[in-house]
Amino acid sequence: MEKMIGLDMDTEVVMSPAARAAVFSSPYSSPSTAFLLQRRVLTWAKETGSPAAVRVRVADRSFILHKDPLASRCGYFSQAMEEVSGDVELPASFPGGSEAFEVIGLFCYGDAVALDPFNVAAVRCAAEFLDVAGLGARCDLYINQVVLQSWDDALIVLQRCQPLLPVAEELLIVSRCVESLAFMACMEILDPEQSRDQPGVDDVTARGLVGRRWDAELVKELAAHDLWIKDLIALPFEFFKRIVQALRRQGMKEKYVSPVVLFYANKWVLSKKTHKFWASTDESGDGGGETDANRRATEILQGVVELLPAEASGGAVPAAFYFALLSRSLTLQLTEETQKRLRGQVASHLQFACADDLPLPEQEADRSIADSPEVIAMESIVSNHVAMQRQGAEAVADLWDRYLVQIVGDPKLRPERLAELIGVISAGDRKTHDHLYEAINTYLLEHPGVSGDEKASLCGNIECRKLSHEACIQAVQNERMPLRFIVQALFVQQMHTHRVFAERSDSFRYMLSGELIPGVAGAYTPSPGCPVPTSQPLSTTSPYTDAHTTVAMDGKLRARDDDASDYETASFRIQALEQEIISLKKTLQRHNTVKGGSVRKDGKEPSFRADAAAPAAVRRRAPVSGSCIGSMRWGSQRRCASRILRVFTRLAVFGRSRSRGKQSKCRAAAEQLSCL
């Protein structure tokens, strides 16, 4: 039988181990397509009695088939057999290989074709190449109705399209799978069931990565929380890039898209395990595994930089990710355009970064850390940020000073190089100089051989008035600092102390004004024997002024009260008034004690007027117990009234200037006292 139909059993039926593994890799392929094709050729030979006379070569395999089935179903074989009757060799550009040709062979013999996600793309491309009537439409129908309705099937078909390019692209297999996957990913995000206990992609990024040092293994664990992300980042970059573009085109928010790009870059660019794997699998065989690994990482990194948003996207991606990309890019050969774009993205995230995010080089024996590519790159980025006057200048200045604290411990760092790094940020952009002081102090501690002129030059960058009170105290006691700087710090420390005293005196002024003004809570209560005449206390309003004038006066008074110089002057005035009041009280007590006498025998109260009928020796008013001003003589009363008048006059001008209404009210009160 074998001799009759002319079959070469070694080449047709017995498959290589690689081909057998490829056939049985699909869970849908049972039984083997190659075995079905062999049996169908034998059956056709029995039924028609004609031998298989056409040998078809596909790559390293040969198929001996009948001419009539091939010529009737395939336009390619119909044309080829007119020129060559015996052997037909398919070109190397034939898509799908021998596995796809086996399915086409079965279809040509009239058998049912078993399509599945693992072979449908290859069969569709092979059918298009061989111009097989009817098979291409059947494959398209299967793709539209089966593959594109399932996430897993669409993912499998897309992965199988990589060796079929560009034919698969021309047949729109890739674009249809990409759009379907993007649509299902959007539905995954919008699904109400996503509000379950496990975090979403944006929650994972925000809670797991922000504010922490970049850790590729931690990011890999976070990416595994969402299976659809895990599937997408396993795709080749060409397909992944198109899916990301489709996600944005279909309306997915950037806070969901950017983290997907982050996870992909972490897997293929930042992961050390991936780099070691690429370096160990040297495909070229020339020992250049490290070079090949860097080449792959460079291609992916350049594509990732293009996918990331140019400006900060509302915290969707942590700043540490951009600095990790910057550190990795320094070991790769990126294009100038990509480097410029990446550094612009890093600059836009400077205000959100912390000192641990910035790349730190390893200390080398023959080079200073300040001359490393990492520090030079950061110096350039921060300089561009300052030159462009971006937002967050104070935060960037504080970040740069903290970064200097980490690198000043290098024993090879020169003072002039440190001065250059300090000068990257202008003094006006620094809100506080505490971290700059810490950096210079650490440098002087690690470099005891610095000369006095160099110390003075470095410390000249510090503005003592921008140091905190604690830093000033430390600077005054620091023996490593030059004398001029210590004197400046001491002066600023005294100013801090004086300012604190002025702030405390403000509350004392309020308490003192409460003692002098009746009706205020906590006011001084006079003795029962001396009733105090009721009068309207001084206020900031007047019944003769309108509302607009009152509001304007209140605003001016508040502005003057907030002035630091007014507080400073007020503290001394309060002390003077306090001494004046204490002296007045002592004078009243002394008059009550010294000037005593007996009460009139008739029990009447003494009068201020002298009784003309009474003898001169008796013309004295009897002393009255208590501390009332009425117990004093008229001359003493005038003197006390004058002193009280001066006190009220000083209170009236206490805030430097009062409204005319207040001054007129003070003059009216003074006239009333003078008429007593």
Side-chain angles (χ1 to χ4, degrees):
M1 177 66 67
E2 296 174 0
K3 185 177 181 181
M4 181 182 63
I5 60 176
L7 297 179
D8 187 355
M9 299 301 295
D10 293 335
T11 58
E12 182 182 3
V13 179
V14 181
M15 296 180 294
S16 64
R20 186 178 297 275
V23 171
F24 286 101
S25 63
S26 172
Y28 305 97
S29 299
S30 181
S32 171
T33 306
F35 177 76
L36 293 176
L37 179 60
Q38 175 197 3
R39 189 175 63 179
R40 190 69 183 96
V41 170
L42 295 175
T43 304
W44 182 274
K46 288 182 180 180
E47 293 177 353
T48 60
S50 60
V54 178
R55 181 184 293 271
V56 181
R57 294 184 179 275
V58 183
D60 58 345
R61 296 181 60 188
S62 297
F63 297 88
I64 301 178
L65 306 174
H66 294 83
K67 178 180 178 180
D68 294 339
L70 293 178
S72 61
R73 292 291 184 95
C74 297
Y76 182 88
F77 286 107
S78 176
Q79 184 178 359
M81 289 178 184
E82 294 179 358
E83 301 175 358
V84 180
S85 59
D87 294 346
V88 177
E89 184 176 359
L90 297 180
S93 60
F94 174 72
S98 58
E99 290 80 11
F101 184 77
E102 290 172 353
V103 177
I104 291 178
L106 277 177
F107 182 78
C108 292
Y109 277 94
D111 284 6
V113 178
L115 296 176
D116 57 63
F118 290 90
N119 66 3
V120 64
V123 172
R124 176 66 182 91
C125 294
E128 183 70 19
F129 186 89
L130 297 177
D131 192 15
V132 181
L135 184 57
R138 185 174 300 183
C139 291
D140 287 335
L141 184 64
Y142 180 83
I143 292 174
N144 293 334
Q145 295 187 353
V146 178
V147 173
L148 300 183
Q149 309 303 319
S150 171
W151 172 270
D152 294 334
D153 292 347
L155 204 64
I156 293 171
V157 172
L158 186 61
Q159 290 174 332
R160 295 286 173 148
C161 286
Q162 186 177 12
L164 302 175
L165 297 174
V167 181
E169 184 66 44
E170 296 173 356
L171 298 176
L172 303 181
I173 301 176
V174 175
S175 60
R176 283 184 287 175
C177 291
V178 165
E179 296 296 331
S180 177
L181 290 172
F183 176 77
M184 287 185 281
C186 292
M187 292 299 100
E188 179 76 10
I189 293 295
L190 298 176
D191 188 0
E193 296 182 1
Q194 284 295 320
S195 58
R196 51 188 182 271
D197 295 334
Q198 74 177 39
V201 58
D202 56 331
D203 297 331
V204 167
T205 303
R207 294 186 299 179
L209 303 178
V210 174
R212 303 182 59 176
R213 186 184 292 271
W214 186 262
D215 187 355
E217 296 302 319
L218 173 62
V219 177
K220 182 179 179 181
E221 295 177 1
L222 295 177
H225 291 176
D226 289 280
L227 296 179
W228 68 275
I229 297 178
K230 187 177 180 181
D231 292 337
L232 290 183
I233 64 178
L235 292 172
F237 182 75
E238 294 80 7
F239 298 152
F240 175 79
K241 177 181 179 180
R242 296 185 59 174
I243 290 179
V244 170
Q245 294 172 347
L247 290 174
R248 289 173 173 154
R249 187 168 55 251
Q250 295 186 15
M252 181 179 284
K253 295 181 179 179
E254 192 62 39
K255 68 176 182 178
Y256 300 111
V257 179
S258 294
V260 179
V261 182
L262 178 148
F263 291 130
Y264 191 91
N266 179 76
K267 178 181 178 64
W268 299 107
V269 178
L270 302 178
S271 177
K272 295 182 179 179
K273 291 184 178 180
T274 303
H275 182 79
K276 291 180 179 179
F277 174 76
W278 280 345
S280 61
T281 56
D282 186 8
E283 296 180 354
S284 60
D286 56 357
E290 186 72 20
T291 304
D292 183 67
N294 289 335
R295 179 185 58 80
R296 291 186 180 184
T298 301
E299 294 176 356
I300 296 177
L301 179 56
Q302 291 184 160
V304 166
V305 172
E306 294 179 359
L307 288 179
L308 289 171
E311 297 293 336
S313 55
V317 178
F321 170 69
Y322 289 93
F323 289 97
L325 289 183
L326 175 65
S327 179
R328 184 71 176 96
S329 67
L330 298 176
T331 61
L332 303 176
Q333 299 295 327
L334 299 181
T335 61
E336 184 177 355
E337 182 181 357
T338 303
Q339 290 181 355
K340 183 178 179 180
R341 182 181 177 90
L342 176 59
R343 296 192 178 191
Q345 293 171 345
V346 172
S348 65
H349 288 79
L350 274 176
Q351 57 180 326
F352 308 110
C354 58
D356 292 337
D357 297 336
L358 274 63
L360 281 176
E362 297 181 359
Q363 190 169 0
E364 300 181 4
D366 57 344
R367 186 179 63 184
S368 173
I369 290 180
D371 299 329
S372 62
E374 289 82 358
V375 176
I376 294 176
M378 287 306 308
E379 181 182 6
S380 175
I381 292 172
V382 175
S383 300
N384 293 336
H385 184 280
V386 174
M388 296 180 64
Q389 298 181 352
R390 296 174 181 260
Q391 296 180 353
E394 295 180 355
V396 174
D398 184 72
L399 175 68
W400 182 246
D401 291 342
R402 291 175 183 267
Y403 185 63
L404 293 180
V405 173
Q406 299 181 359
I407 66 176
V408 292
D410 180 20
K412 299 183 181 62
L413 181 59
R414 305 180 307 277
E416 54 272 14
R417 177 56 178 158
L418 177 58
E420 292 178 0
L421 296 177
I422 293 175
V424 171
I425 299 293
S426 61
D429 291 339
R430 289 185 169 96
K431 184 178 181 181
T432 175
H433 283 210
D434 287 1
H435 298 295
L436 180 59
Y437 166 76
E438 181 183 357
I440 295 178
N441 183 36
T442 305
Y443 179 79
L444 297 179
L445 179 64
E446 298 294 334
H447 301 76
V450 178
S451 64
D453 293 339
E454 293 173 341
K455 285 184 179 180
S457 177
L458 291 176
C459 294
N461 297 292
I462 304 176
E463 293 186 11
C464 295
R465 61 185 181 86
K466 290 189 176 182
L467 292 176
S468 63
H469 185 59
E470 294 76 9
C472 277
I473 294 176
Q474 182 182 356
V476 170
Q477 302 174 355
N478 194 345
E479 298 179 354
R480 290 182 293 273
M481 296 294 167
L483 180 60
R484 182 182 180 87
F485 177 78
I486 293 177
V487 172
Q488 293 177 355
L490 181 61
F491 177 74
V492 173
Q493 181 188 358
Q494 292 179 350
M495 290 182 61
H496 284 312
T497 305
H498 196 66
R499 187 178 299 110
V500 172
F501 174 77
E503 292 174 356
R504 298 296 183 271
S505 64
D506 183 41
S507 59
F508 176 74
R509 181 181 66 177
Y510 175 79
M511 179 186 67
L512 184 60
S513 63
E515 292 181 356
L516 295 177
I517 301 176
V520 180
Y524 172 74
T525 305
S527 59
C530 181
V532 178
T534 60
S535 61
Q536 186 177 2
L538 297 176
S539 62
T540 59
T541 59
S542 173
Y544 303 102
T545 58
D546 56 358
H548 297 287
T549 307
T550 303
V551 172
M553 292 170 57
D554 291 342
K556 293 180 180 178
L557 289 174
R558 292 193 191 98
R560 285 195 295 267
D561 289 340
D562 291 338
D563 192 359
S565 60
D566 286 349
Y567 284 130
E568 186 176 341
T569 306
S571 61
F572 293 103
R573 290 185 178 180
I574 289 172
Q575 294 177 7
L577 289 175
E578 183 183 14
Q579 296 296 331
E580 191 79 18
I581 293 173
I582 292 175
S583 176
L584 180 60
K585 289 182 179 180
K586 289 182 179 180
T587 303
L588 292 174
Q589 293 176 0
R590 186 170 60 254
H591 279 282
N592 291 334
T593 303
V594 173
K595 302 207 173 195
S598 59
V599 184
R600 293 175 59 172
K601 294 181 180 181
D602 56 2
K604 295 182 180 180
E605 290 291 332
S607 174
F608 284 101
R609 300 176 186 151
D611 191 357
V618 189
R619 293 177 185 174
R620 294 182 180 178
R621 62 180 179 85
V624 182
S625 61
S627 60
C628 180
I629 194 171
S631 61
M632 301 172 55
R633 288 186 176 183
W634 177 250
S636 299
Q637 291 179 6
R638 291 292 300 272
R639 288 193 298 272
C640 291
S642 299
R643 299 185 68 178
I644 293 175
L645 179 61
R646 288 198 299 271
V647 172
F648 278 100
T649 304
R650 294 186 181 185
L651 288 176
V653 297
F654 183 74
R656 286 189 177 180
S657 62
R658 291 285 185 174
S659 62
R660 296 181 179 178
K662 294 179 184 178
Q663 294 178 359
S664 61
K665 189 174 294 185
C666 291
R667 286 196 295 269
E671 292 176 359
Q672 292 179 3
L673 288 174
S674 63
C675 294
L676 293 177

